[in-house]
Amino acid sequence: MSLESITENVDEAVSGFFEPIAKWLGEIVFYAVPVGGTDLPLIVAWLVVAGLVFTGWFGFIQLRKFRLAIDVVRGKYDDKDSAGEVNHFQALTAAVSGTVGLGNIAGVAVAVSIGGAGATFWMILCGLLGMATKFVEVTLGVKYREVHADGTVSGGPMHYLPKGLAERFGKNGKTFGKVLAVLASIMILFFGLFGGNLFQVNQSYAQLVSVTGGEDGAMGSSAGALFFGILVAALVGIVLLGGIRSIASVTSRLIPAMAGIYIVACLVVILVNVTAVPAAIGTIIEGAFNPEGVAGGVLGALIIGFKRAAFSNEAGLGSAPIAHSAVKTKHPASEGLVALLEPFIDTVVICTMTALTIVIANPASWGEARTDESIGGVTITSDAFETVLPWFPYVLTVAVLLFAISTVLTWGYYGLKAWTYLFGRSRTSEIIYKSLYTLFAVSGSLLTLQTLIDLADAVLFSLAVINIIGLYLLAPVVKRELNTFLEYVRTRKVGGTDEDKDEEPMKTTV
């Protein structure tokens, strides 16, 4: 029996078993209600409302403290003797690597195809709101993290939910928090194996095949797929063995480099068509408030934009606090401020650059995609670059591969923390997980398992329901931590320059 027939049989068997479960859970998690001629998924509304609430609760912190966040990333307020494993910049790039990927390249193209250019405006707005949510969850992640005897750190919703709720509500809060923590760990682990690992490898392999001659090309055979899977698994396994320090070392170099190359390419397309920029911006704004050909009109464009942003930056899902918790700091809110830059980078910068490039270049495939949903998002983005840089699809392929690998690495770490919370931190337990994770990376190039990937998406967004409930209940803790850090900043700036004097602590009562 050939390798192709074996993988096809596995795909069919797995799909046949899990399809009813995936369909059932997907219908619950992504349940949509009709609004103004289109459908609004309630999970998207849940995430956006959280962003609105926390933006108001913390007085538009994403705008007022943006410069302070930059200063913290630069190391201006570092404490060298603080517990932790990585610096602020490394923690940020490790977390960003878990969100920046195919969604920024392909997902945005799909958004502006379905929701029109106006979806870009609402995508930016949702990204700005998500900054506040990210600040809250990461502050809690650092506040309630567990520093082990060997200096390593564990954090995330599986830690701040039971500890934080116990601290605020006593015995009942502790019991409720433990239940939520176990559920959160299971959800993170499941998505890590299938969404953060198998899906990323599968899609990056598909992109590689498409630029190397398709199924008849060098990488189109089952042997090519197996080679690619083993290569990725080996790379991931080596880095994963080094823990968050190793992952952060790789992502702190990889993410800025690839994001920089991608943004520069977007700017090249934009500058070559610089005369079209005002019209493109006008199209985006007009499309946001007066879209044509979009189901549901303004609401349709808004929903598509919010959906793309919410799915891209993962604000409120509880995943990013796991990476940020490893930071070296004595002030949890300092890393919360760093984390609010994450949705800005992921959504406001990279997603917007992709959308603007497509709108300005206006490739033929974008127009065709408005009526033909079979045209992939990567194709539209690639065609937009090709209008100015004929060779760039190959660079884009490299970017896709590296973004995907960085995502696999970060989710490998997330999954490890969920695994050790459930099964203990013994060396044997960690080796079992890392072996399992690398095997999934190999299978990613051979299997599609679309049903399991759909199930993983539903599971991850189920986590948002649990996590955000905890964020609401623990928001007063975050406000206290913020005031403590701002007081620390103020005392550090006594006698400083005039440009620093706007960073006074918030006058709040909790």
Side-chain angles (χ1 to χ4, degrees), residues 107-143:
V108 173
V110 173
V112 295
S113 296
I114 299 174
T120 307
F121 177 89
W122 301 112
M123 187 170 59
I124 294 170
L125 179 59
C126 186
L128 292 171
L129 294 175
M131 293 168 71
T133 306
K134 193 79 76 169
F135 161 75
V136 174
E137 61 183 347
V138 169
T139 299
L140 291 172
V142 180
K143 166 73 174 175

Side-chain angles (χ1 to χ4, degrees), residues 50-67:
L52 282 166
V53 170
F54 294 128
T55 294
W57 200 327
F58 293 95
F60 290 86
I61 189 170
Q62 61 268 63
L63 302 179
R64 293 190 308 105
K65 302 302 177 186
F66 189 88
R67 190 179 68 180

Side-chain angles (χ1 to χ4, degrees), residues 354-392:
T354 300
L356 195 57
T357 299
I358 292 170
V359 173
I360 287 175
N362 194 20
S365 55
W366 182 36
E368 294 169 6
R370 302 296 295 275
T371 56
D372 184 3
E373 295 182 3
S374 66
I375 297 177
V378 173
T379 300
I380 298 169
T381 306
S382 180
D383 289 349
F385 285 116
E386 199 169 7
T387 60
V388 174
L389 305 168
W391 45 266
F392 195 76

Side-chain angles (χ1 to χ4, degrees), residues 67-376:
R67 190 179 68 180
L68 177 57
I70 297 292
D71 287 341
V72 176
V73 172
R74 289 170 49 215
K76 188 173 181 179
Y77 302 103
D78 282 358
D79 291 311
K80 294 182 179 179
D81 59 342
S82 298
E85 300 182 76
V86 296
N87 62 36
H88 288 291
F89 178 73
Q90 290 175 322
L92 175 64
T93 56
V96 168
S97 69
T99 58
V100 174
L102 293 172
N104 302 77
I105 298 170
V108 173
V110 173
V112 295
S113 296
I114 299 174
T120 307
F121 177 89
W122 301 112
M123 187 170 59
I124 294 170
L125 179 59
C126 186
L128 292 171
L129 294 175
M131 293 168 71
T133 306
K134 193 79 76 169
F135 161 75
V136 174
E137 61 183 347
V138 169
T139 299
L140 291 172
V142 180
K143 166 73 174 175
Y144 295 108
R145 65 183 176 175
E146 183 176 347
V147 181
H148 305 296
D150 60 0
T152 60
V153 177
S154 296
M158 64 282 280
H159 292 277
Y160 62 70
L161 289 174
K163 291 180 181 178
L165 293 177
E167 184 180 284
R168 282 215 69 201
F169 303 104
K171 184 178 179 180
N172 291 335
K174 183 178 181 179
T175 302
F176 181 54
K178 281 188 174 181
V179 172
L180 296 183
V182 170
L183 291 174
S185 296
I186 293 171
M187 292 170 182
I188 290 169
L189 178 60
F190 191 87
F191 183 85
L193 291 173
F194 293 100
N197 184 349
L198 188 144
F199 174 72
Q200 296 294 327
V201 176
N202 182 274
Q203 291 300 295
S204 56
Y205 170 69
Q207 177 66 11
L208 181 63
V209 169
S210 70
V211 297
T212 55
E215 294 183 1
D216 297 326
M219 295 298 296
S221 65
S222 57
L226 185 60
F227 171 77
F228 179 80
I230 292 174
L231 179 62
V232 172
L235 292 173
V236 170
I238 291 170
V239 178
L240 201 58
L241 286 172
I244 188 61
R245 289 188 179 96
S246 180
I247 293 171
S249 178
V250 172
T251 56
S252 64
R253 294 172 174 82
L254 188 62
I255 291 301
M258 292 315 304
I261 291 172
Y262 186 76
I263 291 171
V264 167
C266 291
L267 289 173
V268 169
V269 175
I270 292 168
L271 291 174
V272 168
N273 298 279
V274 67
T275 56
V277 172
I281 294 174
T283 299
I284 289 172
I285 295 174
E286 182 181 357
F289 298 98
N290 186 29
E292 295 181 3
V294 176
V298 173
L299 279 173
L302 181 151
I303 290 168
I304 294 298
F306 277 10
K307 182 177 179 181
R308 175 65 262 148
F311 283 28
S312 177
N313 60 51
E314 298 180 9
L317 270 61
S319 51
I322 302 173
H324 285 285
S325 294
V327 72
K328 294 178 181 178
T329 186
K330 296 177 181 177
H331 302 281
S334 68
E335 189 61 18
L337 290 171
V338 169
L340 65 77
L341 297 174
E342 192 182 326
F344 182 82
I345 295 168
D346 175 274
T347 306
V348 179
V349 176
I350 298 180
C351 285
T352 301
M353 293 297 285
T354 300
L356 195 57
T357 299
I358 292 170
V359 173
I360 287 175
N362 194 20
S365 55
W366 182 36
E368 294 169 6
R370 302 296 295 275
T371 56
D372 184 3
E373 295 182 3
S374 66
I375 297 177

